[in-house]
């Protein structure tokens, strides 16, 4: 039977939520991933050292059976002092910036993306070597939001050449092209944006389980993302943006944005890279690139994928929480051994 | 109190469905509209004289309290004979063409849009003076489907210069521009495509009640449609494409496409034309243009709109059928007197 070894898989953009949802989804990542960059958009967002450490404890508790290293992030604020950031530096891997109101639990994000407004915190981060992760969307027309954000990436990357700036969950050809323009600009891409376009969300029936932010774009955008990922582009990392919402908030009128991919990400990535005859680049995409960009050495954790059918569960549940994964009920070509 | 008289309102693109849904939605059109062009995409579609006359009877029965003239259409087929069309001509106002599988109940539509394949039926229609209504979308990427269809409109319009061709429910700047290129090309536009863009469907939370086919497009498309409608463009008619689906089929995973606007269309149109200081063109848009294009003289039916708040019901129901209108629960500035 065909096999493939993934070595210390890293999910560089993950939502673990809190409470029962954390207990439900935490182990679905920690089982197979060596580490993950955990997003701080709780309610309220993670903005203090105490909240950060307490959240990390809850994550480790939820994933206790597994070797798993949650890499923590702070929610960006304009008024973080240099002293605060210096004190918290060793507890975080990055700071995540959200424009206000741009996605789930981002209401207290920054109101202005003007570099001069952001400068105090960004200068401290640059001096301390703390990377900046950005949800890069404007409030414009939904299909243009990421493209319109490109000048802001350029402005930050050029104003702070020593700051590592990560364009999170990129979805467009424009963002892929931007990657090569600035040495200090990097990106994550999700599994679902390598696979779907707006057609899958709203081209046939409306599919709320594939509704996410940023919204899936055009076929030529997906092609550009896929080409970069398959090539093992050294500035592009896997970040699932796996974003669980309770089932009832997805299958209702006015559904929440987010695709839940943690339990199926590695299986589908192996299938995708195998189909495109690029398996030799998969470990770069899911681990090595991130190790270099974040200067992080994960504990070794080898996961064996085997070419054997895996039927994705219709849903995962814990207590009263239920969450529906991507490809729910469908058959995948690869499964995780054991 | 400010008033406005609408004279013999015509809805030139309407889905009345059948059974209890017809009994529910029929009176919501017949109360205020003088006549409507009724779409034939039942299951099975309306393709025989018997089915046509029986459906018309059921419509009149459902709307019996009102003066209302349902103008019937046949579902386009490649193999309609000249004799059949001649026989049925006086019972129909047009024939509606659906590319196979393009929208609700269109599975038996035409498999090819090649003019040579369509020629026999189109030649008969041209000779008999029967207009052709088209759902003009390709199977391409959802945002491009209408634009990609433009060469097919051009091919049909130029091949059959005596055939009146109506581009149904246009949603793009491209279609508005196409209107002026061929004398025999006309169009309908819906209420919702004058009001919304993709942002309203998927820019915030996902809104299944605004999910429709063709999908709402970009801001510049809406602007072009609105400008043409407000100007009273003589080749553009109001056609609501009001498309009721049972509430449970809209608020579920994999929701059906269609916006239900019949009971609020006139109120919102008056508000829209008033706000843009173009009330003098509203009767052209909702009646006079269609009268000229279809050479049809409706019975007189004056509807008085008054500038008085109207709270849109959260839903309309009949027996077990429930349908949610556009602007459900919201306040409109105008209401219908009486």
């Amino acid at each position: 039977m065909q096999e493939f070894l993934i070595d210390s898989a890293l999910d560089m953009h993950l939502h673990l939520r809190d409470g029962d949802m954390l207990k439900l989804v935490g182990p679905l990542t920690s089982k197979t991933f060596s580490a993950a960059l955990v997003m701080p958009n709780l309610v309220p967002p993670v903005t203090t050292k105490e909240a950060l450490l307490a959240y990390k404890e809850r994550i480790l508790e939820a994933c206790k059976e597994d070797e798993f290293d949650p890499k923590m992030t702070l929610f960006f604020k304009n008024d973080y002092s240099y002293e605060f950031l210096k004190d918290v530096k060793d507890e975080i891997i990055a700071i995540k910036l959200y424009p206000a109101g741009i996605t789930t639990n981002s209401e207290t994000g920054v109101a202005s993306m003007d570099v001069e407004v952001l400068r105090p915190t960004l200068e401290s981060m640059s001096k301390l070597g703390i990377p900046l992760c950005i949800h890069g969307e404007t409030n414009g027309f939904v299909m243009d939001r990421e493209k319109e954000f490109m000048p802001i990436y350029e402005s930050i990357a050029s104003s702070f050449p020593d700051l590592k700036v990560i364009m999170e969950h990129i979805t467009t050809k424009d963002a892929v092209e931007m990657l090569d323009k600035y040495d200090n600009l990097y990106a994550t891409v999700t599994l679902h944006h390598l696979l779907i376009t707006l057609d899958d969300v709203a081209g046939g029936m409306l599919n709320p389980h594939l509704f996410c932010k940023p919204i899936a774009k055009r076929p030529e955008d997906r092609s550009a993302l896929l080409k970069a990922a398959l090539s093992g582009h050294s500035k592009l990392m896997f970040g699932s943006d796996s974003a669980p919402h309770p089932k009832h908030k997805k299958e209702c009128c006015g559904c929440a944005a987010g695709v839940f991919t943690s339990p199926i990400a590695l299986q589908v990535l192996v299938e995708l890279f195998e189909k495109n005859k690029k398996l030799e680049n998969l470990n770069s995409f899911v681990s090595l690139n991130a190790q270099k960009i974040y200067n992080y050495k994960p504990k070794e954790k080898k996961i064996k994928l085997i070419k054997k059918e895996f039927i994705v569960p219709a849903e995962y549940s814990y207590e009263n929480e239920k969450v529906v994964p991507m490809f729910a009920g469908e058959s995948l070509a690869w499964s995780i051994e054991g």
Side-chain angles (χ1 to χ4, degrees), chain A residues 9-16 26 29-30 33-39 59 68-73 93 238 240 262 296 298:
Chain A
L10 304 176
D11 183 347
M12 299 311 289
H13 187 130
L14 180 64
H15 297 276
L16 284 176
T29 286
S30 63
F33 285 85
S34 178
L37 184 151
V38 181
M39 288 298 162
I59 293 170
F68 177 66
D69 188 14
K71 304 306 292 179
M72 306 306 291
T73 60
I93 190 169
F238 174 63
S240 70
S262 292
Y296 167 69

Side-chain angles (χ1 to χ4, degrees), chain A residues 12 52 54 65 79 90 103 135 155 169 183 208 220 243 253 266 281 285 325 338:
Chain A
M12 299 311 289
L52 188 79
E65 292 168 35
D79 60 356
D90 291 342
T103 190
H135 180 125
S155 166
H169 46 50
D183 286 345
E220 56 269 33
C253 196
L266 295 182
N281 292 332
F285 180 59

